[in-house]
Amino acid sequence: LFVIDSLRAGGAERSMSELVAGLETAGATVNVVVLERVATDDEITAGERTFEPRAPTATRPWARVRELRRIIRAEAPDIVHSTLFRSDIATRFAAVRTGARVVTTLSNVSYEPVRLRDSGVTRWRLEVVRALDAVTGRTLTDRFHAVTHAVKDSTVRRMHIPAERIEVVERGRDRTRLGEPSAERRRAARDALGLPANAVMLFNAGRQDPQKAQVDLLTAFETIAGRHPEAWLIVAGRRGHASVALDAQLARSRFAHRVQMLGHRRDIADLLAAADIFVFPSAYEGIGGAVIEAMALGVPSVVSDIPGLREVVAEGQTALFVPPGDPEALAAAVEHLIVDTALRRAMGARGREVFTQRFTLERSVERMLALYERACAAPPRRLTRGRPRSDVRSS
């Protein structure tokens, strides 16, 4: 039984959705609980059996816990696997003495000091959230799934979770959904964007939040565009806390006519197939699912030199690294790839190899099933003991 805050499109939601599909293909019985329905057009699918909370659970946390507990008892899952903070806390309390093992996904470096650079995050609130997460995690969670070693190390350091309770399983992406790059697919996507034939398309995908540092990207593009009239910047992602700043910066830009802010898009794979360079200057990331998708489509990247991304891409082979928060270095790295077309091709080809070796959905599903088996075989946490459970229901 998966539990997640919402199905609004995002990295954690996309990863859960693909894992659900992969587990069902592997023979597992999978259901999903969505704590809050989002009435937008950017929701993703999450399997055939999806439960939604009854009113008023969206606004009353303990009512949400009681409803989730009712579902857990009715469905009797071997594993309850939560993703994102609200779901983690609700799941841990709801699963007490139900006999289900609780697994939490750690998808980001949520409590590192870099979070405080976001004006919407205050130190005291972050500390309160961290303390609640840490205490319930240590006492009410059987096993943790970290998407990278960087996330695991951060969790051990900031939440004091024993390292032996955290297993690293990298995210996987469905090759069938992403499709294959081709000249025809590239041309169709670029024509739809109205790009000139000689355009070098720089692409960024991510919600408009301070974490994604798209303000730095626009700053860097002023330099890039002034030197390279063939450069175009395409940004896809729903509006967020950085949107006002992005709007203001774009209004001042000399090259706004070569920037397209597309908003939320469902055709990210097609846009990647059209791109020449993927630019991802995030301030922090757990793993960077968009970079994985860029590698799958053979697109070289310029990314921030941060632990979560350094673990995913190979410097000089699939991506160039730049210090986070440095628009000048970002511009220089992008310009290097604009000029060196041979390096772009080589890095794109190597990215596809790395994706096949490490990031396929099949590999991720196999490793997650093994994690679930170990969680079921281990003694339950002291505060979560319930009735005995059978093995994971999978083929």
Side-chain angles (χ1 to χ4, degrees), residues 133-293:
D133 203 0
V135 170
T136 58
R138 289 194 296 267
T139 58
L140 301 177
T141 305
D142 294 282
R143 186 79 75 176
F144 292 86
H145 157 234
V147 296
T148 56
H149 290 279
V151 171
K152 175 178 179 176
D153 294 343
S154 176
T155 302
V156 171
R157 184 170 58 252
R158 299 293 174 184
M159 291 174 59
H160 307 295
I161 302 295
E164 61 272 15
R165 290 177 56 198
I166 306 174
E167 294 189 44
V168 176
V169 177
E170 293 168 329
R171 299 289 202 190
R173 286 293 188 265
D174 184 355
R175 287 177 290 192
T176 301
R177 178 183 66 83
L178 294 173
E180 295 292 325
S182 69
E184 294 77 15
R185 189 181 187 189
R186 172 183 169 88
R187 184 166 50 252
R190 290 166 73 92
D191 287 348
L193 292 169
L195 298 182
N198 69 334
V200 176
M201 176 178 160
L202 315 179
F203 182 52
N204 169 269
R207 67 188 180 279
Q208 296 177 13
D209 276 353
Q211 174 191 350
K212 303 302 181 180
Q214 288 136 335
V215 169
D216 290 343
L217 178 55
L218 287 182
T219 301
F221 188 70
E222 285 295 295
T223 300
I224 296 165
R227 295 173 181 168
H228 299 275
E230 72 278 23
W232 286 67
L233 175 61
I234 311 298
V235 179
R238 69 174 182 263
R239 293 181 65 82
H241 296 300
S243 295
V244 172
L246 289 169
D247 292 344
Q249 188 162 347
L250 195 57
R252 296 190 299 268
S253 172
R254 295 176 296 151
F255 304 103
H257 60 288
R258 283 155 55 194
V259 178
Q260 295 186 30
M261 307 295 286
L262 303 180
H264 171 71
R265 295 288 289 247
R266 294 183 178 273
D267 58 346
I268 297 298
D270 289 334
L271 294 169
L272 282 168
D276 295 292
I277 303 168
F278 185 70
V279 191
F280 203 62
S282 295
Y284 60 93
E285 288 285 343
I287 188 170
V291 178
I292 294 173
E293 296 190 4

Side-chain angles (χ1 to χ4, degrees), residues 7 15 33 51 55 64 81 91-92 98 109 111 143 153 196 203 213 252 259 290 312 359 365 372 380 385 387:
L7 292 179
S15 295
V33 175
F51 298 93
R64 181 187 302 127
H81 185 163
T91 295
R92 291 166 187 170
T98 63
V109 289
Y111 303 115
R143 186 79 75 176
D153 294 343
F203 182 52
R252 296 190 299 268
V259 178
V312 172
F359 297 110
V365 166
Y372 295 147
R385 288 194 182 117
R387 64 186 185 282

Side-chain angles (χ1 to χ4, degrees), residues 145-150 168-175 286-288 291-293 295-296 307-315 317-318 321 350-368:
H145 157 234
V147 296
T148 56
H149 290 279
V168 176
V169 177
E170 293 168 329
R171 299 289 202 190
R173 286 293 188 265
D174 184 355
R175 287 177 290 192
I287 188 170
V291 178
I292 294 173
E293 296 190 4
M295 288 194 293
L309 296 181
R310 180 167 284 278
E311 195 171 327
V312 172
V313 298
E315 183 175 13
Q317 297 183 42
T318 64
F321 286 93
R350 178 58 182 150
R352 283 174 61 77
E353 292 174 357
V354 171
F355 174 81
T356 300
Q357 293 164 2
R358 294 177 53 191
F359 297 110
T360 63
L361 180 60
E362 295 82 2
R363 184 175 187 271
S364 182
V365 166
E366 181 180 1
R367 296 181 66 199
M368 286 303 303

